[in-house]
């Protein structure tokens, strides 16, 4: 809870600064002093407060705040992006306007010399020789309003598209991954992988039912749920998660914790997920005997477990130590960055989520600063890492450039 409150405090500061910028560009620059400017300023303050209030309120069970608060968060973000992109062309346009005004400024004749000793005031300037201002306020106002309208329409369109994508059915990503140690008899073993379901204020039981039905249609050998199942307690979301008991696979369904489980009562959720028939891989591994071959499937707790006092963090030695190195091993770990440690234990393949594929472009660029792989198949120090985009969303019900996803990973013998 303290981590969440700290995040809300930082978000309040950042969103306050963003709203100050939006107020300047969308209100102050587009209006003249008066009633409408005051209305715009009040609106900006209310919306700035809405964002942190939404995050804190939904944690306290005020779910009615979720839709208006999270939708505005997405719209705010894309307004910021579009307006920042427009800064350079707007600056150029203002400079051009200023030069045109200066060029159109009437010139005055040189003053006539004044005789020494002449008394009285100098002659008035010639008629029409009025000094022009350094800019044209009406043109600047028109330019600012045009930019504001363009930004508003663009941000609204992107957000609307993102809502439709986020609330739509998860797309299926099929990927074949060769493993050098995989026995030929196990060639084609299929692992249905899903992450970041994020049951919570905006997603409930119907969301889980749709995901379970999609996975069951794949007829997979193994099902792997790699973290961030929930954003709330078992009391709040237990019924929403219940359809997970209907997952079907030949060799079992498995689960590892994500960072959001540690915000939602990880110990209760571990027990609940186990009760629903998924084996929770808490720093452990299991032999998968299939088609006359053997594969080690391992799982580690999320990195967020370190120092929480709720449960242990990842223990790679417990999950991967003392195993037969001739066998291939597939590791379930919520965050792709865990591969940096997993590679030291010779992990052949790590399946992860966490990134949401960036969820809202250009956030994918920021995610890349923290995680070695954002989406799809990559490699970290010799360990292959596959990252699925996740089937849900966190925060805004918006996905742009990263569709919700269920992945079917097919292992191939090299």
């Amino acid at each position: 809870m303290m981590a969440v409150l700290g995040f809300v405090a930082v978000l309040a500061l950042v969103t306050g600064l963003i709203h100050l910028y939006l107020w300047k560009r969308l209100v102050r620059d587009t209006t003249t002093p008066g009633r409408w400017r005051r209305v715009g300023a009040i609106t900006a303050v209310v919306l700035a407060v809405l964002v942190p209030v939404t995050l804190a309120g939904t944690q306290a069970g005020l779910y009615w705040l979720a839709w208006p608060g999270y939708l505005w968060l997405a719209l705010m973000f894309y307004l910021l992006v579009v307006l920042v992109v427009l800064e350079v062309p707007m600056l150029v346009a203002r400079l051009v306007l200023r030069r045109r005004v200066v060029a159109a400024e009437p010139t005055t004749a040189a003053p006539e010399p004044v005789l020494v000793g002449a008394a009285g005031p100098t002659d008035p300037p010639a008629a029409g020789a009025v000094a022009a201002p350094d800019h044209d306020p009406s043109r600047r106002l028109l330019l600012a309003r045009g930019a504001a309208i363009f930004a508003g329409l663009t941000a609204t369109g992107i957000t609307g598209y993102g809502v439709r994508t986020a609330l739509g059915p998860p797309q299926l990503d099929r990927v074949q991954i060769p493993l050098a140690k995989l026995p030929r008899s196990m060639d084609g073993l299929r692992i249905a992988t899903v992450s970041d379901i994020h049951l919570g204020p905006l997603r409930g039981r119907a969301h889980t039912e749709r995901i379970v039905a999609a996975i069951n249609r794949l007829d997979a050998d193994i099902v792997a749920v790699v973290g961030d199942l929930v954003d709330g307690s078992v009391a709040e979301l237990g019924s929403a998660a219940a359809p997970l008991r209907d997952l079907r696979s030949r060799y079992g369904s498995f689960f590892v914790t994500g960072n959001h489980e540690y915000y939602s009562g990880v110990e209760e959720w571990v027990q609940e997920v186990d009760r629903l028939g998924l084996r929770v891989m808490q720093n452990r591994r299991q032999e998968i005997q299939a088609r006359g071959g053997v594969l080690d499937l391992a799982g580690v707790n999320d990195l967020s477990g370190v120092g929480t006092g709720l449960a242990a963090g990842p223990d790679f030695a417990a999950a991967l130590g003392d195993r037969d190195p001739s066998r291939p091993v597939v590791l379930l770990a919520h965050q792709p960055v865990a591969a940096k440690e997993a590679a030291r234990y010779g992990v052949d393949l790590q399946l992860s989520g966490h990134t949401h594929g960036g969820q809202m472009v250009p956030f994918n660029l920021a995610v890349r600063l923290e995680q070695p792989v954002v989406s799809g198949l990559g490699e970290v120090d010799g360990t292959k890492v596959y990252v699925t985009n996740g089937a849900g969303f966190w925060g805004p019900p918006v996905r742009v450039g990263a569709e919700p996803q269920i992945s079917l990973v097919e292992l191939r013998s090299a």
Side-chain angles (χ1 to χ4, degrees):
M1 181 60 72
M2 292 301 297
V4 173
L5 293 177
F7 175 75
V8 170
V10 172
L11 183 67
L13 175 61
V14 172
T15 54
L17 295 174
I18 292 173
H19 280 79
L20 180 62
Y21 171 77
L22 294 181
W23 169 80
K24 184 179 186 308
R25 287 288 177 255
L26 300 179
V27 179
R28 185 177 181 276
D29 291 355
T30 63
T31 60
T32 55
R35 176 185 176 186
W36 288 112
R37 182 174 288 186
R38 290 193 296 273
V39 170
I42 293 171
T43 302
V45 171
V46 171
L47 292 174
V49 172
L50 177 62
V51 174
V53 166
T54 296
L55 264 72
T58 52
Q59 287 289 321
L62 302 177
Y63 289 169
W64 59 270
L65 284 168
W67 277 106
Y70 285 131
L71 279 176
W72 169 245
L73 182 61
L75 187 58
M76 174 203 78
F77 172 70
Y78 281 114
L79 280 171
L80 175 66
V81 170
V82 176
L83 287 170
V84 168
V85 169
L86 287 176
E87 285 293 343
V88 172
M90 285 286 290
L91 176 61
V92 172
R94 285 194 293 266
L95 291 175
V96 170
L97 286 177
R98 180 169 296 182
R99 288 194 175 193
R100 287 182 178 178
V101 171
V102 171
E105 180 181 346
T107 59
T108 58
E112 301 219 359
V114 179
L115 296 176
V116 176
T122 59
D123 291 335
V130 179
D134 63 349
H135 62 278
D136 187 335
S138 63
R139 289 186 178 183
R140 287 174 62 88
L141 187 63
L142 182 63
L143 184 65
R145 287 175 176 174
I149 291 171
F150 177 81
L153 292 175
T154 302
T156 301
I158 293 173
T159 302
Y161 163 80
V163 170
R164 180 180 179 182
T165 302
L167 298 181
Q171 303 300 303
L172 176 62
D173 182 40
R174 295 177 181 267
V175 58
Q176 293 186 347
I177 303 178
L179 299 182
K181 298 177 184 176
L182 188 72
R184 291 196 176 277
S185 63
M186 298 183 74
D187 183 74
L189 189 80
R190 299 186 302 166
I191 306 175
T193 306
V194 65
S195 76
D196 302 280
I197 295 173
H198 283 292
L199 300 174
L202 301 178
R203 283 301 208 182
R205 187 183 181 99
H207 180 51
T208 313
E209 289 174 342
R210 180 162 66 177
I211 291 170
V212 169
I215 291 175
N216 287 344
R217 285 195 295 270
L218 299 176
D219 192 29
D221 297 299
I222 298 169
V223 173
V225 182
V226 286
D228 279 7
L229 171 65
V230 291
D231 286 302
S233 67
V234 172
E236 295 167 327
L237 299 172
S239 62
L244 291 175
R245 66 164 60 95
D246 298 324
L247 282 171
R248 296 195 303 268
S249 60
R250 289 183 179 81
Y251 306 111
S253 299
F254 301 86
F255 175 83
V256 290
T257 57
N259 53 308
H260 281 250
E261 272 70 63
Y262 290 91
Y263 312 147
S264 305
V266 64
E267 293 171 331
E268 287 187 348
W269 274 113
V270 165
Q271 295 175 10
E272 181 66 10
V273 170
D274 182 72
R275 189 181 69 82
L276 293 174
L278 284 76
R279 183 165 186 182
V280 183
M281 304 294 282
Q282 291 188 290
N283 301 324
R284 62 192 303 179
R285 71 176 180 273
Q286 178 172 322
E287 292 182 357
I288 303 296
Q289 299 184 14
R291 308 175 187 177
V294 180
L295 174 144
D296 284 335
L297 183 69
V300 291
N301 293 340
D302 185 64
L303 298 166
S304 300
V306 177
T308 62
L310 298 173
D315 188 337
F316 292 89
L320 300 166
D322 298 328
R323 68 179 188 85
D324 184 349
S326 67
R327 293 179 184 171
V329 57
V330 175
L331 176 68
L332 310 182
H334 179 62
Q335 298 191 41
V337 72
K340 293 181 179 180
E341 183 68 17
R344 296 176 55 196
Y345 290 86
V347 168
D348 299 282
L349 171 65
Q350 177 177 304
L351 302 178
S352 297
H354 184 65
T355 66
H356 297 200
Q359 186 165 323
M360 295 166 57
V361 169
F363 265 128
N364 56 312
L365 302 178
V367 174
R368 198 174 297 278
L369 299 176
E370 181 188 17
Q371 301 292 337
V373 182
V374 176
S375 180
L377 183 62
E379 188 171 309
V380 177
D381 298 334
T383 291
K384 294 178 180 180
V385 180
Y386 176 80
V387 180
T388 185
N389 286 350
F393 51 80
W394 182 82
V398 175
R399 275 184 172 269
V400 178
E403 293 182 334
Q405 190 177 80
I406 293 171
S407 300
L408 185 63
V409 177
E410 186 174 348
L411 306 182
R412 306 307 301 263
S413 57

